[in-house]
Amino acid sequence: MKKSRINRWVRVAVAGVLACAAVGVYAKSADHPGTPESEMRYKGAAVPTELEASKDVVTPGAPPLSEAEFAKAKQIYFERCAGCHGVLRKGATGKALTPDITLGKGTDYLKVFIDYGSPAGMPNWGTSGDLSADEVTLMAKYLQHEPPIPPEFGMKEMKETWKVLVSPEKRPKKKMNKYNVENIFSVTLRDAGQVALIDGDTKEIINIVDTGYAVHISRFSTSGRYLLVIGRDARINMIDLWMKKPDNVAELKIGLEARSVETSKYKGYEDKYAIGGAYWPPQYVIMDGATLEPLKIVSTRGYTVDTQEYHPEPRVAAIVASHEHPEFIVNVKETGKVLMVNYEDIDNLKVTTIGTARYLHDGGWDSTHRYFLTAANKSNKVVVIDSKNDTLTAMVDVTEIPHPGRGANIADPKYGPVWITSALGNENVTAIATDPASNPEHAWKVVRTLKGMGGGSLFVKTHPHSKNLWVDAPLNPDTKISQSVAVFDVGNLDKGFEVLPIAEWAGIKGEGPKRVVQPEYNKAGDEVWFSVWSGKEEESAIVIVDDKTRKLKKVIKDKRLITPTGKFNVYNTMHDIY
């Protein structure tokens, strides 16, 4: 990064701080004009890298730090900063923070940024109370040293973590339980390092299964027999839903931090392979679909799609399985590339690279399962990939920080099939037309921009059997919004939304943020499940709403439901119904 650009960044940040100081305002949302608090919360997520294994480098000329201070600063950085600035501090959605930039600025200069944040979106760690004055000073000194380098994680390290708890030949030959497997829900218990398997028919907890920390997604094999989950600590667990009591049968760590897992779906390859994508090291791993044995590791390090600069840490975001070819579609966040990974012959791997935009995040299929729509969140675009031709179809401009999850497909009364995303940065709910055959004049254009409750939305959801579109906002700073959900009538979108007080319906006693997150339908499409997400030591719940009447149907409470977040119904996830 050029010094002139750094200096402009510094001047803008200082000007923002001084402007706030002049009016005496230091509320969390006021310190960052133009940057919603929802975005700052999103950026503050911890990175669970194994710090004790990283290589520490003390830089000559940098402020001295004791071994204990260095260790503490390293912990803070990975918990507070690495998600944005990258493990190697080379920059990601946040600016680069390497010593060639930071050392010349000095401790006092850096303290300003850490204390007050910046208008570009960096959280105000000091004035918010998240970091003490001493910790702010410590971090300002730490950033002038070379970043610690986490270890690589190759085949040897993976094989050391690989466990086949129940070998395929010893697993059931037929389903050994009476559960309606296709209507089971896998519910992430984020801070407990577990998932809850809940019977969608009886609403009873089937089992609480130990997994990695903060499971990001659940994916089901094509047969529906196996559930694969991946934690942010890069641990993948395979759970056999045919067992009398479904439980783990295999596990593997594919690195030190990760987000994505998927299974092969193309005809003839059902359940044959699994794939996991890592944040650190930046790589994806193809595994045996029955045992999770690691078979192939591929690095994603390379050059950015726009500036053609080498990036040492391009993380793997979403992965989906193609319905058109024996391929996995792999999003590479920092370089802005979509990889079409053909698994017909993994010893002679063929990969088609499609240049799009940075920074690729999450996404899902259109209603035909031909086109993959995915958010390039910091470019404020939705990228459209034609999985039949393995080509870029369009890049659609949307508003600040699209965050679709898998998105939602509805039949718009005016524009036909559309795919929908909400946003972290504002209240907009954006509909993109997806039917080039029947509606070519509208295809791959924004045809509607609805107004939701507010920014901080993470997920939208609907179902082919439903007339409703649900939009959450768990990261909105207004508790009236974060504890509720908006619902639109698909047949009359211009009418606006109804607000349902989901957290209030949960009847949770005591303190807690009670954030309402991720609507998920049951197999039949007549119930919508919501997580009411509070702290680890606080009560949480699952609230089930009748989709037709929009009335409360059931509340699931259990002391084992610790920080429930994402929910994934077997049938809908298997068949990419959303």
Side-chain angles (χ1 to χ4, degrees):
M1 185 177 290
K2 296 180 179 179
K3 288 186 177 180
S4 61
R5 291 178 62 195
I6 295 297
N7 288 335
R8 283 199 299 272
W9 171 46
V10 169
R11 287 197 298 271
V12 169
V14 172
V17 169
L18 293 177
C20 288
V23 296
V25 203
Y26 283 125
K28 287 187 181 181
S29 58
D31 287 343
H32 314 280
T35 302
E37 184 171 341
S38 56
E39 179 180 346
M40 292 188 287
R41 290 187 185 191
Y42 177 70
K43 289 181 171 185
V47 172
T49 302
E50 296 172 3
L51 301 177
E52 66 278 2
S54 64
K55 180 182 178 182
D56 297 345
V57 181
V58 177
T59 304
L65 291 175
S66 68
E67 187 175 329
E69 287 174 328
F70 202 96
K72 181 178 180 180
K74 181 166 62 173
Q75 183 75 37
I76 292 172
Y77 180 82
F78 281 101
E79 288 183 351
R80 305 288 192 177
C81 318
C84 246
H85 298 282
V87 170
L88 300 178
R89 304 214 306 260
K90 297 286 188 179
T93 51
K95 303 289 185 180
L97 293 173
T98 46
D100 60 310
I101 297 168
T102 58
L103 195 57
K105 301 305 176 185
T107 302
D108 289 339
Y109 218 69
L110 295 170
K111 283 170 62 177
V112 171
F113 293 111
I114 300 167
D115 213 2
Y116 298 112
S118 79
M122 178 174 163
N124 50 323
W125 296 115
T127 58
S128 67
D130 288 308
L131 297 180
S132 68
D134 288 343
E135 288 172 332
V136 168
T137 300
L138 173 64
M139 294 308 297
K141 293 178 179 179
Y142 170 77
L143 292 177
Q144 297 172 69
H145 291 267
E146 289 288 339
I149 302 173
E152 298 297 320
F153 206 88
M155 187 61 74
K156 175 179 178 294
E157 290 78 14
M158 287 185 202
K159 285 289 185 73
E160 290 173 351
T161 72
W162 177 45
K163 299 177 184 177
V164 179
L165 306 172
V166 182
S167 61
E169 61 272 14
K170 293 183 179 179
R171 296 173 195 169
K173 306 303 180 187
K174 61 180 182 179
K175 189 165 74 78
M176 301 300 291
N177 57 61
K178 296 182 179 180
Y179 301 117
N180 177 5
V181 168
E182 290 188 334
N183 201 33
I184 288 175
F185 286 75
S186 172
V187 181
T188 297
L189 304 182
R190 186 187 185 280
D191 295 341
Q194 297 172 323
V195 295
L197 302 180
I198 302 180
D199 186 334
D201 292 350
T202 66
K203 315 301 188 284
E204 298 293 328
I205 294 175
I206 296 169
N207 196 15
I208 303 291
V209 183
D210 290 333
T211 62
Y213 169 74
V215 163
H216 194 64
I217 58 172
S218 295
R219 290 292 181 263
F220 300 92
S221 63
T222 311
S223 66
R225 173 174 183 171
Y226 294 112
L227 161 63
L228 276 73
V229 299
I230 188 165
R232 291 187 60 186
D233 56 1
R235 176 178 164 185
I236 299 174
N237 288 79
M238 173 184 279
I239 298 165
D240 187 352
L241 299 178
W242 280 13
M243 295 170 68
K244 186 174 182 180
K245 186 176 184 180
D247 210 336
N248 284 313
V249 292
E251 64 178 59
L252 174 74
K253 272 179 67 70
I254 63 165
L256 302 180
E257 187 190 3
R259 294 294 188 281
S260 50
V261 69
E262 182 60 289
T263 64
S264 54
K265 291 185 176 179
Y266 192 69
K267 186 177 181 179
Y269 294 88
E270 298 94 336
D271 295 13
K272 183 173 183 178
Y273 294 118
I275 183 172
Y279 270 26
W280 187 268
Q283 60 194 24
Y284 59 88
V285 182
I286 298 175
M287 299 158 279
D288 180 83
T291 65
L292 298 184
E293 178 184 4
L295 304 174
K296 188 86 171 181
I297 304 172
V298 183
S299 173
T300 54
R301 291 182 170 104
Y303 290 82
T304 60
V305 70
D306 43 12
T307 59
Q308 300 287 293
E309 295 175 285
Y310 180 75
H311 200 294
E313 195 187 339
R315 301 171 288 183
V316 177
I319 303 177
V320 298
S322 173
H323 299 268
E324 299 282 352
H325 303 287
E327 292 179 338
F328 294 118
I329 303 177
V330 178
N331 277 357
V332 185
K333 186 183 287 278
E334 276 73 24
T335 53
K337 296 177 180 179
V338 177
L339 309 180
M340 315 297 283
V341 180
N342 188 297
Y343 50 76
E344 284 182 286
D345 180 358
I346 65 170
D347 292 323
N348 298 281
L349 199 66
K350 295 179 181 178
V351 180
T352 299
T353 301
I354 302 174
T356 62
R358 299 194 284 175
Y359 294 84
L360 292 169
H361 192 58
D362 209 353
W365 294 105
D366 78 311
S367 58
T368 69
H369 293 163
R370 172 174 174 173
Y371 296 97
F372 175 57
L373 294 93
T374 185
N377 56 19
K378 289 303 291 182
S379 297
N380 295 327
K381 295 180 184 295
V382 168
V383 173
V384 184
I385 300 294
D386 182 347
S387 70
K388 184 174 183 178
N389 296 325
D390 284 3
T391 55
L392 174 65
T393 295
M395 290 199 290
V396 185
D397 291 327
V398 295
T399 54
E400 193 172 8
I401 310 186
H403 196 285
R406 290 167 286 176
N409 290 295
I410 67 170
D412 187 283
K414 183 176 181 180
Y415 300 104
V418 300
W419 179 90
I420 292 175
T421 179
S422 55
L424 275 162
N426 54 54
E427 63 188 358
N428 291 345
V429 180
T430 303
I432 298 170
T434 62
D435 187 1
S438 301
N439 295 284
E441 70 276 21
H442 298 303
W444 319 125
K445 296 177 183 177
V446 174
V447 293
R448 286 187 189 272
T449 303
L450 306 173
K451 298 299 181 183
M453 296 187 295
S457 176
L458 293 179
F459 299 101
V460 291
K461 186 68 64 175
T462 190
H463 190 278
H465 297 162
S466 173
K467 296 180 180 180
N468 292 321
L469 170 67
W470 303 86
V471 184
D472 70 11
L475 297 185
N476 194 286
D478 185 339
T479 56
K480 290 182 180 179
I481 294 175
S482 66
Q483 295 181 3
S484 302
V485 68
V487 54
F488 292 84
D489 181 345
V490 169
N492 188 5
L493 293 168
D494 293 330
K495 180 182 177 182
F497 58 84
E498 179 184 359
V499 177
L500 301 186
I502 301 297
E504 179 183 320
W505 287 353
I508 292 174
K509 298 177 181 179
E511 298 296 322
K514 306 179 182 71
R515 292 173 289 238
V516 174
V517 63
Q518 197 186 31
E520 177 76 348
Y521 277 86
N522 64 341
K523 178 185 175 181
D526 57 10
E527 294 176 353
V528 192
W529 293 38
F530 299 90
S531 295
V532 181
W533 169 27
S534 283
K536 188 174 182 179
E537 305 301 326
E538 298 161 334
E539 187 178 30
S540 294
I542 303 293
V543 171
I544 302 170
V545 174
D546 184 295
D547 183 67
K548 184 176 181 179
T549 65
R550 300 181 180 178
K551 302 296 184 183
L552 175 65
K553 187 171 183 178
K554 175 77 174 180
V555 177
I556 303 175
K557 290 184 182 179
D558 191 292
K559 64 181 180 181
R560 297 172 293 172
L561 290 179
I562 299 169
T563 58
T565 52
K567 298 164 300 304
F568 301 86
N569 175 267
V570 172
Y571 185 84
N572 293 333
T573 306
M574 279 172 57
H575 297 280
D576 292 315
I577 295 173
Y578 32 81

